[in-house]
Amino acid sequence: MDSGVLTAGMSEMECRLGRVVAVVGARVSGHLQADLDPEIMEAIQVGGLLKICTRVSTVYGMVSALRLSDQNVRDDPVCMVDIDLLGEVLIPTVEEGRAEPGRGASEHTAVAEFRRGVSIYPGLGAGIHALTSSDLALVYAQPQSSSFTIGAVYHDPSIPARVATDRLLGKHFAILGTTGSGKSCAVALMLRSILENYPNGHVVLLDPHNEYAHAFGGVAELIDTSNLELPYWMMNFEELAATFVSRDGSDRQAEAEILKEAVLQARRRFLGEDADASFVSVDTPVPFRMSQAERIILDMMGKLDKVDSARPYLRLVARMQALQNDRRFAFLFSGLVVRDSMTDVLSRLLRMPVAGRPVTVFDLSGVPSEIVEVVVSLMCRTIFDFAVWSRRATAVPVLLVCEEAHRYVPQDERRGFEPTRRAIARIAKEGRKYGVSLCLVSQRPSELSTTILSQCNTLFSLRLTNDHDKAFVQAALPEAAGGLVAALPTLQSQEAVVVGDGVSLPMRIRFRDLDEAHRPQSATAAFSASWAEDCGSGGDRAQVRETVENWRRQQMFCAGFTLSAARRERQGALA
């Protein structure tokens, strides 16, 4: 029998489980009847739902604890249950002022609606009952607003688990779970479920491990370093400094000041001598030529009185030239001619128009490690700034999905890139006003910034085994969902605990199956199958040579085919 659900043909009176003996705030304690059927007793589990009838409503709560009382009846301990109250269903005639005292909600046939919060608390001695299937259907009823289905309620697989679209996206959400718990599949499933209903959506997914290209296929615009155009001049000064200025040393501050003046002058000169450049600052996304910035720096160096002071100027120019000659940074310096391509870059990134591809999968695996956080900062900041400066009447909402979010917004403020952290924090705090939604995905929630995670009003927590992660999630969950935290280490793959505004009440769910063709490429390597035979038994070491060649030529292998970076670059230019 499902936890807390009456078996077919069993009446509520036959399944009265016990009575209320204490009410403390939103928590109720009760004595369970000593003569309960063992099957029913076994079905009462932590995380299950029970109900209590009052004079004007039926109150629903979640089992948070089961224990034996010190009080004995006929030398047998009394079984106790603690219930955290979640919501209620008012008797419809009560709202019309025609309720009759003493009548239960089951005696009325009028339409009832579950709502969060409790207006009338149960009294001492009130009966505690198991739920019927109709109760579960009422509690987990489809929201009146737009919603989508992601799976089934754990307690009754016949009841779909629905998520309210606007409440989920409008107030941010997070998907948390340890490696192997099905986190990546959950992300792919949720995004596909949303886009099945809304094919003209706008989703930007930051993919640090090249997992999701396979999951979305033809409905995604796949961007990596071979076809990415992200001009250096779109960076603000902090991002430019992180890219070109020395990371440490006595000359760092001097280099930053020199770069700031050179970039400001270069931006203004790009507009022309006759143009009004009064609005241009060092952060304004106006194009500038790198060669011109270098000439300005050398001109500034030529005015020095002492030759010894030239070192920061020379180091800065050398760094700028080195990055332009490094093919790994080609996406920043694409093209010989600098042009104002910002409209084209944003149109492609944000999918405007959608053109049948509502998802932008941004593969970060090929971005050089020393600049990856600068690129993420630029992406996040640009998305938010675009929303801020869009006309409200025509603005298009955008969902930003951050995989491995703990890398960009760590709990320890000394780690990570501060501009990235600030950009994501700004989206978390203000994005709702401008139509920018945030999804944080992480396998280490305890390393995430609590300030930013607290802005996510819906949490999907898959299996978590680390004590620090469990404690962190428990602190983030509402008190009424405390009973579900105990289940986190025992959740199976495809199972999750969901709490927040996106669902009617905290619940344990099982995600629906995802087609093999739509699953991310994040499966664990099959060691037993691979190690069963010698891959180099022929003695030619062909596989090693092929890998070395790919490594040297920056050649990618993905989804069963190989494509050189040069060829992909040409294809991207033609597209």
Side-chain angles (χ1 to χ4, degrees):
M1 187 174 81
D2 292 324
S3 175
V5 181
L6 295 180
T7 56
M10 185 179 296
S11 69
E12 290 193 27
M13 290 305 297
E14 289 174 332
C15 203
R16 176 180 165 122
L17 305 178
R19 60 188 178 88
V20 175
V21 297
V23 180
V24 181
R27 173 165 291 188
V28 168
S29 297
H31 281 174
L32 296 178
Q33 295 178 181
D35 57 350
L36 287 178
D37 185 281
E39 184 182 2
I40 296 176
M41 194 67 182
E42 185 179 348
I44 304 173
Q45 298 182 5
V46 172
L49 296 179
L50 298 175
K51 67 178 180 180
I52 305 169
C53 293
T54 72
R55 181 177 62 86
V56 297
S57 65
T58 299
V59 179
Y60 295 86
M62 182 173 293
V63 176
S64 60
L66 292 166
R67 66 184 190 279
L68 296 176
S69 172
D70 294 335
Q71 302 177 14
N72 292 336
V73 178
R74 298 176 184 175
D75 297 327
D76 292 328
V78 176
C79 295
M80 299 284 295
V81 60
D82 292 335
I83 305 170
D84 292 328
L85 303 182
L86 298 174
E88 64 186 0
V89 174
L90 293 178
I91 300 173
T93 52
V94 171
E95 297 176 271
E96 300 168 8
R98 296 185 281 105
E100 298 180 20
R103 297 184 66 184
S106 61
E107 300 179 56
H108 297 268
T109 58
V111 177
E113 180 181 350
F114 175 83
R115 67 182 189 183
R116 287 188 178 186
V118 177
S119 56
I120 301 295
Y121 287 87
L124 297 177
I128 301 174
H129 298 270
L131 269 63
T132 64
S133 295
S134 60
D135 286 319
L136 284 174
L138 180 62
V139 170
Y140 296 114
Q142 181 173 352
Q144 295 181 352
S145 59
S146 174
S147 65
F148 60 95
T149 302
I150 57 174
V153 175
Y154 175 79
H155 303 300
D156 189 343
S158 66
I159 298 177
R162 296 185 177 92
V163 181
T165 308
D166 290 332
R167 293 206 298 266
L168 176 77
L169 300 180
K171 298 183 179 180
H172 313 309
F173 62 104
I175 301 176
L176 313 172
T178 190
T179 300
S181 63
K183 173 170 50 64
S184 298
C185 285
V187 173
L189 171 64
M190 291 188 62
L191 294 182
R192 293 194 73 95
S193 298
I194 294 172
L195 296 175
E196 284 173 3
N197 295 334
Y198 309 100
N200 292 318
H202 303 267
V203 179
V204 178
L205 195 160
L206 303 182
D207 181 7
H209 303 302
N210 190 22
E211 294 179 302
Y212 291 95
H214 180 264
F216 296 100
V219 299
E221 177 76 5
L222 306 180
I223 298 178
D224 59 19
T225 52
S226 70
N227 60 15
L228 169 64
E229 181 185 357
L230 200 63
Y232 61 87
W233 51 261
M234 287 181 60
M235 296 182 182
N236 63 17
F237 175 68
E238 277 188 302
E239 293 156 355
L240 288 168
T243 304
F244 297 110
V245 172
S246 303
R247 296 184 180 274
D248 49 32
S250 57
D251 291 334
R252 174 174 172 76
Q253 185 60 37
E255 289 180 37
E257 293 297 330
I258 296 167
L259 179 66
K260 186 174 185 178
E261 180 61 28
V263 169
L264 177 59
Q265 290 188 34
R267 289 193 194 276
R268 290 178 174 175
R269 291 183 186 181
F270 183 87
L271 296 178
E273 296 181 358
D274 298 331
D276 177 17
S278 59
F279 67 93
V280 176
S281 72
V282 72
D283 293 325
T284 306
V286 169
F288 69 91
R289 296 178 180 85
M290 188 62 65
S291 58
Q292 188 166 54
E294 293 172 9
R295 285 197 298 271
I296 293 172
I297 293 174
L298 294 176
D299 289 343
M300 294 167 62
M301 183 182 68
K303 298 177 181 179
L304 296 175
D305 296 331
K306 298 181 179 179
V307 178
D308 295 342
S309 304
R311 188 173 64 176
Y313 296 85
L314 295 174
R315 288 183 61 178
L316 188 57
V317 171
R319 171 72 172 171
M320 295 165 74
Q321 293 177 347
L323 292 186
Q324 292 177 76
N325 295 327
D326 190 333
R327 62 173 299 173
R328 298 177 305 153
F329 295 84
F331 62 92
L332 290 175
F333 307 100
S334 58
L336 297 176
V337 178
V338 177
R339 63 185 182 88
D340 188 355
S341 59
M342 192 167 181
T343 298
D344 296 334
V345 171
L346 290 174
S347 296
R348 185 184 182 207
L349 174 65
L350 301 177
R351 307 309 306 143
M352 297 179 184
V354 174
R357 295 183 177 184
V359 183
T360 300
V361 177
F362 191 0
D363 175 18
L364 296 169
S365 61
V367 177
S369 58
E370 60 265 39
I371 201 177
V372 65
E373 290 194 344
V374 174
V375 172
V376 173
S377 172
L378 173 57
M379 294 279 289
C380 297
R381 180 183 55 78
T382 299
I383 290 172
F384 183 77
D385 286 345
F386 181 83
V388 169
W389 295 107
S390 295
R391 185 177 300 175
R392 294 293 182 92
T394 58
V396 177
V398 176
L399 169 62
L400 173 64
V401 182
C402 290
E403 258 281 10
E404 299 286 355
H406 55 273
R407 294 173 53 179
Y408 312 122
V409 284
Q411 173 67 8
D412 187 350
E413 296 185 0
R414 295 170 297 180
R415 298 173 54 194
F417 185 48
E418 178 57 29
T420 307
R421 180 190 185 94
R422 193 183 311 126
I424 296 178
R426 193 177 178 196
I427 293 175
K429 295 176 182 178
E430 305 175 38
R432 180 177 61 85
K433 305 173 186 176
Y434 301 102
V436 181
S437 180
L438 179 66
C439 170
L440 300 179
V441 185
S442 176
Q443 59 181 321
R444 291 307 308 271
S446 60
E447 296 181 7
L448 266 174
S449 166
T450 52
T451 302
I452 295 175
L453 185 62
S454 65
Q455 303 293 326
C456 296
N457 283 31
T458 305
L459 295 180
F460 296 80
S461 182
L462 289 82
R463 182 173 65 252
L464 291 172
T465 55
N466 183 278
D467 289 338
H468 294 293
D469 292 336
K470 287 189 295 182
F472 185 85
V473 172
Q474 184 172 16
L477 294 178
E479 185 177 353
L484 292 173
V485 177
L488 292 180
T490 61
L491 293 177
Q492 301 294 314
S493 294
Q494 287 187 261
E495 291 183 2
V497 169
V498 190
V499 298
D501 286 351
V503 291
S504 55
L505 78 167
M507 58 181 172
R508 181 175 174 178
I509 68 167
R510 186 185 188 281
F511 291 106
R512 61 182 171 90
D513 294 333
L514 193 62
D515 292 341
E516 183 68 30
H518 298 158
R519 295 179 185 175
Q521 292 183 322
S522 57
T524 303
F527 283 79
S528 58
S530 180
W531 288 1
E533 59 183 27
D534 187 356
C535 65
S537 56
D540 58 359
R541 296 182 293 184
Q543 183 176 345
V544 177
R545 284 200 300 272
E546 180 187 16
T547 301
V548 170
E549 187 68 13
N550 292 342
W551 188 351
R552 287 172 175 169
R553 295 181 178 274
Q554 298 291 293
Q555 191 164 272
M556 307 286 288
F557 180 83
C558 179
F561 62 91
T562 320
L563 195 61
S564 70
R567 180 181 168 198
R568 295 167 74 189
E569 187 171 350
R570 287 197 300 270
Q571 289 183 344
L574 292 174

